[in-house]
Amino acid sequence: MVKAQFQTVTVTAPARLHMGFIDLSGGLGRHFGSIGVALNEINTRLSVSLAEELTVTGPAAERARRCVGRFCEYARVPDRLHIEIAAAIPEHIGLGSGTQMALAVGAAINRFYGLGLSVREIAQLSDRGARSGIGIGIFEKGGVIVDGGRGPNTATPPVIAQMAVPEPWRFILVFDQRGQGLHGEQEVSAFSELPPFPQAQAERLCYLLLMRGLPALAEQDLAQFGEVITLLQQAVGEHFAPVQGGVFTSPEVAAAMAYLAEQGAVAIGQTSWGPTGFCAVASPEIAAELLTALQRKFAGSPLSFMVASARNQPAELIGG
């Protein structure tokens, strides 16, 4: 009989920006591959303790309940647990809510029962990483993650690069409060409807990322890094445009991102299927000025804004 190893285990799992796929062509036998970054200010935070029966309280409780049931069934452990959710990443707006909830639940139960599973094993049991490995990578490591996509023998997309983000850099997030991006069956259907991605374009994106974007990040050159992310986002956004209505899902977000580019922001893009847009600037002071300008210029619109910093650490687990 599996016994609890702790009275309570608490997990904090960071949100992420999905900055784009680098090979949608699959020309070399691997599909997808992507780049993304972990964020500090938005997260899923939950605690696990013993209970007479499964109870889940807090935001996104029903999603968490499904994650608990799936994980406990696969891991063959009792689900007589109380899950208290203190915070949850907003669902279906491009911040990785599903993966982080599944990993947070799985990691908490894994630690609680002392199962000794790795993050990768938890991801497999939780059925995550079907396309992108960014969510798994940022839970494991934090920072900027590049994953190698899926090959014929891939269990979860491998991390092929992990790098810290310079502390002063900030990301400005633009939210459209009216809607959500494609998800679930809609997302699966959208991928099936898209035309083939040109292999030459994939080769160009990989070359830009490997020989310009990542070296620029290593040298803390935001302008060069940001240019590569913008180019990648433009290419992928144009490919997805037929199923998401344009390079950006939300025209209002697109307008805000164009304004931010005019003000000197870089790394202009949409995370995952959106509708959330993002950009990068060099310091908290610049970010604060742009935030004030955005709130003034787009007052009365369905948009909201926030400034976020990169998280260069993995998810946090505390058992006690």
Side-chain angles (χ1 to χ4, degrees), residues 1-3 68-79 109 113 115 117 125:
M1 181 69 175
V2 178
K3 293 184 178 180
V68 173
R70 183 184 301 116
F71 184 84
C72 287
E73 179 182 356
Y74 289 167
R76 299 181 180 179
V77 295
D79 67 354
I109 297 172
Y113 283 127
L115 302 179
L117 299 173
L125 288 177

Side-chain angles (χ1 to χ4, degrees), residues 178-258:
R178 297 170 304 175
Q180 300 176 333
L182 297 178
H183 58 276
E185 291 302 318
Q186 290 178 314
E187 181 181 11
V188 173
S189 176
F191 271 108
S192 70
E193 294 172 13
L194 290 169
F197 192 81
Q199 185 171 341
Q201 181 79 298
E203 291 170 353
R204 173 174 172 267
L205 295 178
C206 292
Y207 184 35
L208 284 169
L209 184 62
L210 179 62
M211 293 307 295
R212 186 188 293 178
L214 295 184
L217 178 58
E219 294 176 349
Q220 302 190 19
D221 185 337
L222 178 59
Q224 286 287 315
F225 176 73
E227 182 179 350
V228 170
I229 297 302
T230 299
L231 289 170
L232 190 159
Q233 280 283 316
Q234 186 68 29
V236 174
E238 289 174 356
H239 182 66
F240 287 156
V243 293
Q244 68 179 16
V247 173
F248 290 87
T249 298
S250 163
E252 287 79 10
V253 169
M257 301 316 299

